[in-house]
Amino acid sequence: MEDFINRVAQSALVTLNLEEFIHPGERVVYDIKDNLFQGLMLREKDFRAFVKDHDWSQYDGQNVAIICSADAIVPTWAYMVLAGKLQGHAHRYVFGNLDALEQDLFHEAIAAIDAEQYRDAKLVIKGCGEKPVPTYAYVAIMQKLLSVASSIMYGEPCSTVPLYKRPKVASV
């Protein structure tokens, strides 16, 4: 009887699972509409009093998306004041919805990757998993690793879609 040889396990493929880059912190939305006077406008005196008295420690370690869901005129400085208060409490904060926050979190995680550890690697970017990974994360990882990897594939090591292969340099 012949022994079964797992060629996938023996290959030089390096699997990169983007699920591992999902930040574990809680995601919350801070909607500035709750600070509007009669749902229409921001009154500076009231807003500054709220900001002074609000317990910002409740955002410790969280990821915060700052929005205004009301159709109101909110001065830019108000968002800047919120950013100043979230600094030192929130892990990450952005102006925008939860999708914008998630994109920012992935960009932060991918930017922290040392691309050199993948120099000349044959990479498989894992495509299926338990947690959804947004498409922009796949584009960002390609941008990060194209200059160093010898090849990049998508899917699972046993079934991949080739995406990139470094051209061979002609020898003289």
Side-chain angles (χ1 to χ4, degrees):
M1 179 161 137
E2 286 185 48
D3 289 335
F4 174 74
I5 298 173
N6 185 340
R7 292 183 186 185
V8 172
Q10 291 180 340
S11 74
L13 295 177
V14 176
T15 301
L16 192 61
N17 183 354
L18 291 182
E19 282 184 18
E20 295 171 6
F21 294 92
I22 296 173
H23 189 272
E26 184 179 349
R27 281 104 170 113
V28 296
V29 173
Y30 182 92
D31 194 343
I32 205 167
K33 79 170 175 58
D34 299 330
N35 300 111
L36 299 176
F37 176 69
Q38 295 183 346
L40 298 173
M41 64 181 181
L42 191 73
R43 294 199 320 195
E44 182 177 359
K45 184 178 178 183
D46 295 342
F47 181 65
R48 290 198 182 271
F50 164 79
V51 166
K52 182 180 176 214
D53 297 334
H54 187 67
D55 177 15
W56 295 100
S57 68
Q58 66 182 298
Y59 300 100
D60 286 353
Q62 294 182 341
N63 300 295
V64 183
I66 305 168
I67 65 166
C68 182
S69 63
D71 188 16
I73 297 171
V74 177
T76 302
W77 61 260
Y79 296 107
M80 296 168 73
V81 167
L82 292 175
K85 290 299 183 177
L86 289 167
Q87 183 70 30
H89 291 287
H91 165 76
R92 201 84 173 152
Y93 54 88
V94 300
F95 173 76
N97 61 18
L98 289 171
D99 286 337
L101 176 61
E102 203 62 42
Q103 184 169 353
D104 194 68
L105 289 167
F106 266 106
H107 279 294
E108 175 187 42
I110 290 170
I113 294 172
D114 176 13
E116 282 302 313
Q117 69 181 327
Y118 299 106
R119 170 123 351 245
D120 300 324
K122 294 178 180 175
L123 294 172
V124 176
I125 308 299
K126 187 172 166 125
C128 299
E130 297 175 19
K131 301 175 187 172
V133 174
T135 303
Y136 50 75
Y138 290 101
V139 172
I141 199 70
M142 285 293 287
Q143 184 178 32
K144 179 82 176 193
L145 299 177
L146 271 173
S147 65
V148 295
S150 69
S151 66
I152 301 177
M153 296 163 273
Y154 172 81
E156 300 294 326
C158 60
S159 174
T160 60
V161 175
L163 304 174
Y164 166 79
K165 186 166 185 163
R166 182 186 304 143
K168 293 185 180 185
V169 179
S171 52
V172 180

